Amino acid sequence: DIQNYTINDDGSVDVDGNVRLYGELLTKLPLKFGKVTGYFNCSNNQLISLEGSPHWVGNHFDCDNNKITSLDGSPHWVGGNFDCSRNNLETLEGGPDVVINGYYCRNNNLNNFKGFPEDYDGVIFFNGNPISTILSKIPDSKRNKFIYWCNEYDAIDDQGKVIPERMEEVYNKLGLEYED
């Protein structure tokens, strides 16, 4: 049901409008998308990869409730919300560089913030992940900067272990008192 599309020289498909692939029992995306001006919804499928996802989405990108283990192939730019909740993600590496609205990554297996966009200042939802316990101790108004500084100082390793001397620096940057 995709309308208003253009097939590019590289075989990718640009869509002027929305792409709705919700609940189609897909294990992979049926096309290679380029630019989608509206929303792109491939949630509630059986996707194990985001290969074929558009590189640019004008509105929301939703890949919630799949079996994705990596954000490789996800859009680089999302003009609305980015929702990768309820998958099997252990890292956000390979995810978007820019998300304009909300970043939802609830109920995954995330142990750190690696791969989170650097200059992000929208709302974030990490609940249901091992890392959410650490984030819950930070005031809402400082959470985005906390994530940024955790990544800058490499304060949490790949297994989710906090490196106390580095985390203390993160807290200092935010004007918070660190308790080991």
Side-chain angles (χ1 to χ4, degrees):
D1 294 334
I2 297 172
Q3 299 175 0
N4 300 321
Y5 63 90
T6 304
I7 300 173
N8 299 311
D9 291 341
D10 66 358
S12 66
V13 177
D14 288 347
V15 179
D16 186 14
N18 301 319
V19 174
R20 184 185 178 280
L21 300 170
Y22 172 90
E24 298 288 336
L25 301 175
L26 300 172
T27 56
K28 65 179 189 172
L29 293 174
L31 301 168
K32 178 183 174 191
F33 291 92
K35 183 176 180 180
V36 173
T37 63
Y39 67 75
F40 188 91
N41 186 339
C42 59
S43 64
N44 293 301
N45 281 294
Q46 303 294 314
L47 298 176
I48 57 170
S49 160
L50 290 175
E51 184 179 336
S53 291
H55 61 83
W56 191 97
V57 177
N59 203 323
H60 306 307
F61 180 88
D62 189 351
C63 62
D64 172 47
N65 196 26
N66 277 288
K67 297 178 178 183
I68 298 165
T69 57
S70 168
L71 291 179
D72 290 339
S74 68
H76 298 290
W77 195 94
V78 178
N81 296 328
F82 178 78
D83 191 346
C84 60
S85 300
R86 299 186 300 161
N87 278 289
N88 298 317
L89 296 170
E90 293 183 3
T91 181
L92 297 174
E93 292 175 309
D97 297 319
V98 175
V99 175
I100 301 300
N101 287 340
Y103 199 111
Y104 300 80
C105 49
R106 298 175 293 218
N107 302 317
N108 279 290
N109 302 308
L110 299 170
N111 288 317
N112 60 50
F113 305 111
K114 292 177 182 172
F116 195 77
E118 268 189 37
D119 296 323
Y120 182 75
D121 64 358
V123 295
I124 52 176
F125 296 93
F126 272 90
N127 48 318
N129 286 286
I131 195 67
S132 63
T133 328
I134 294 171
L135 195 57
S136 68
K137 298 174 185 175
I138 305 301
D140 288 347
S141 63
K142 297 187 178 207
R143 286 186 175 177
N144 294 15
K145 285 297 178 191
F146 175 77
I147 292 171
Y148 171 80
W149 288 115
C150 279
N151 286 338
E152 278 296 301
Y153 284 108
D154 208 15
I156 306 169
D157 71 14
D158 290 344
Q159 288 72 43
K161 183 178 180 292
V162 171
I163 301 162
E165 57 277 1
R166 294 180 185 177
M167 187 59 78
E168 187 172 5
E169 290 296 321
V170 170
Y171 272 69
N172 287 340
K173 281 287 193 186
L174 299 172
L176 300 172
E177 190 171 323
Y178 178 64
E179 295 177 23
D180 192 359

